[in-house]
Amino acid sequence: MWGDIKSVRLLYFKGFLFLLTGLLSGAGILFATGDALWRRALLLGICIWAWQRWYYFLFYVIEKYADPGYKFAGVGSFLTYLWKRRKGGASFKNG
Protein backbone atom coordinates (compact mmCIF):
# COMPACT_ATOMS: atom_id res chain seq x y z
CA MET A 1 0.00 0.00 0.00
CA TRP A 2 1.96 3.08 1.21
CA GLY A 3 5.29 1.75 2.41
CA ASP A 4 7.62 2.98 5.12
CA ILE A 5 8.48 6.62 5.69
CA LYS A 6 12.11 7.15 4.71
CA SER A 7 12.50 10.85 5.57
CA VAL A 8 13.61 11.49 9.15
CA ARG A 9 12.02 14.95 9.05
CA LEU A 10 8.71 13.38 8.11
CA LEU A 11 9.06 10.90 10.98
CA TYR A 12 9.59 13.76 13.44
CA PHE A 13 6.65 15.64 11.92
CA LYS A 14 4.44 12.60 12.38
CA GLY A 15 5.55 12.37 16.02
CA PHE A 16 4.73 16.05 16.48
CA LEU A 17 1.25 15.44 15.05
CA PHE A 18 0.65 12.70 17.64
CA LEU A 19 1.72 15.10 20.38
CA LEU A 20 -0.51 17.87 19.01
CA THR A 21 -3.48 15.51 18.70
CA GLY A 22 -3.03 14.41 22.32
CA LEU A 23 -2.83 17.98 23.55
CA LEU A 24 -5.84 19.19 21.57
CA SER A 25 -8.05 16.26 22.48
CA GLY A 26 -7.07 16.64 26.15
CA ALA A 27 -7.94 20.33 25.99
CA GLY A 28 -11.22 19.39 24.32
CA ILE A 29 -12.06 17.15 27.27
CA LEU A 30 -11.23 19.88 29.78
CA PHE A 31 -13.08 22.67 28.02
CA ALA A 32 -16.05 20.76 26.56
CA THR A 33 -19.38 22.26 27.54
CA GLY A 34 -22.71 20.57 27.88
CA ASP A 35 -23.63 17.05 28.82
CA ALA A 36 -22.51 15.26 25.66
CA LEU A 37 -21.02 12.18 27.27
CA TRP A 38 -20.37 10.56 23.89
CA ARG A 39 -18.26 13.57 22.84
CA ARG A 40 -16.09 13.36 25.94
CA ALA A 41 -15.75 9.59 25.52
CA LEU A 42 -14.65 10.05 21.91
CA LEU A 43 -12.15 12.74 22.88
CA LEU A 44 -10.83 10.54 25.67
CA GLY A 45 -10.32 7.67 23.23
CA ILE A 46 -8.51 9.94 20.78
CA CYS A 47 -6.41 11.40 23.59
CA ILE A 48 -5.32 7.99 24.87
CA TRP A 49 -4.58 6.74 21.35
CA ALA A 50 -2.52 9.83 20.45
CA TRP A 51 -0.47 9.78 23.65
CA GLN A 52 0.33 6.09 23.39
CA ARG A 53 1.39 6.53 19.74
CA TRP A 54 3.57 9.51 20.72
CA TYR A 55 5.22 7.50 23.47
CA TYR A 56 5.84 4.63 21.03
CA PHE A 57 7.33 7.17 18.64
CA LEU A 58 9.69 8.40 21.37
CA PHE A 59 11.12 5.08 22.40
CA TYR A 60 10.86 2.89 19.32
CA VAL A 61 10.63 4.86 16.10
CA ILE A 62 13.50 7.22 16.89
CA GLU A 63 15.71 4.45 18.21
CA LYS A 64 15.07 2.05 15.33
CA TYR A 65 14.49 4.29 12.32
CA ALA A 66 15.54 7.91 12.89
CA ASP A 67 18.71 7.64 14.98
CA PRO A 68 20.00 4.14 15.88
CA GLY A 69 22.62 5.73 18.18
CA TYR A 70 19.93 7.18 20.47
CA LYS A 71 18.84 5.03 23.42
CA PHE A 72 15.56 5.97 25.06
CA ALA A 73 15.61 6.50 28.82
CA GLY A 74 12.38 8.46 29.31
CA VAL A 75 10.65 11.58 28.08
CA GLY A 76 13.25 13.79 29.78
CA SER A 77 15.94 11.90 27.90
CA PHE A 78 14.17 12.62 24.62
CA LEU A 79 13.82 16.33 25.40
CA THR A 80 17.54 16.49 26.23
CA TYR A 81 18.29 14.67 22.98
CA LEU A 82 16.28 17.21 20.98
CA TRP A 83 17.87 20.14 22.79
CA LYS A 84 21.40 18.87 22.12
CA ARG A 85 20.62 18.26 18.44
CA ARG A 86 19.25 21.79 18.05
CA LYS A 87 22.01 23.45 20.04
CA GLY A 88 24.74 21.52 18.23
CA GLY A 89 23.32 22.55 14.88
CA ALA A 90 23.11 18.96 13.70
CA SER A 91 20.55 18.45 11.00
CA PHE A 92 18.24 15.47 10.74
CA LYS A 93 19.52 12.68 8.56
CA ASN A 94 17.87 11.87 5.23
CA GLY A 95 15.78 14.97 5.21
Side-chain angles (χ1 to χ4, degrees), residues 15 17-31 38-56:
L17 290 178
F18 287 133
L19 174 64
L20 186 64
T21 302
L23 289 172
L24 291 176
S25 59
I29 293 169
L30 291 176
F31 299 116
W38 65 269
R39 184 177 297 143
R40 287 182 190 232
L42 178 66
L43 286 172
L44 180 61
I46 292 170
C47 187
I48 291 170
W49 173 81
W51 284 111
Q52 64 93 17
R53 293 299 299 172
W54 184 67
Y55 194 75
Y56 172 80

Side-chain angles (χ1 to χ4, degrees), residues 5 11 19 22 56 69 72 87 91:
I5 297 174
L11 282 174
L19 174 64
Y56 172 80
F72 181 78
K87 197 171 185 179
S91 61

Side-chain angles (χ1 to χ4, degrees), residues 11-19 50-82:
L11 282 174
Y12 279 98
F13 180 68
K14 185 177 178 182
F16 172 74
L17 290 178
F18 287 133
L19 174 64
W51 284 111
Q52 64 93 17
R53 293 299 299 172
W54 184 67
Y55 194 75
Y56 172 80
F57 168 79
L58 290 182
F59 81 84
Y60 188 80
V61 172
I62 293 177
E63 198 172 297
K64 301 296 182 198
Y65 298 104
D67 187 357
Y70 170 72
K71 298 298 178 207
F72 181 78
V75 176
S77 165
F78 176 73
L79 293 175
T80 303
Y81 164 79
L82 281 182

Side-chain angles (χ1 to χ4, degrees), residues 3-8 10-11 14 65:
D4 291 339
I5 297 174
K6 302 293 183 202
S7 169
V8 174
L10 194 55
L11 282 174
K14 185 177 178 182
Y65 298 104

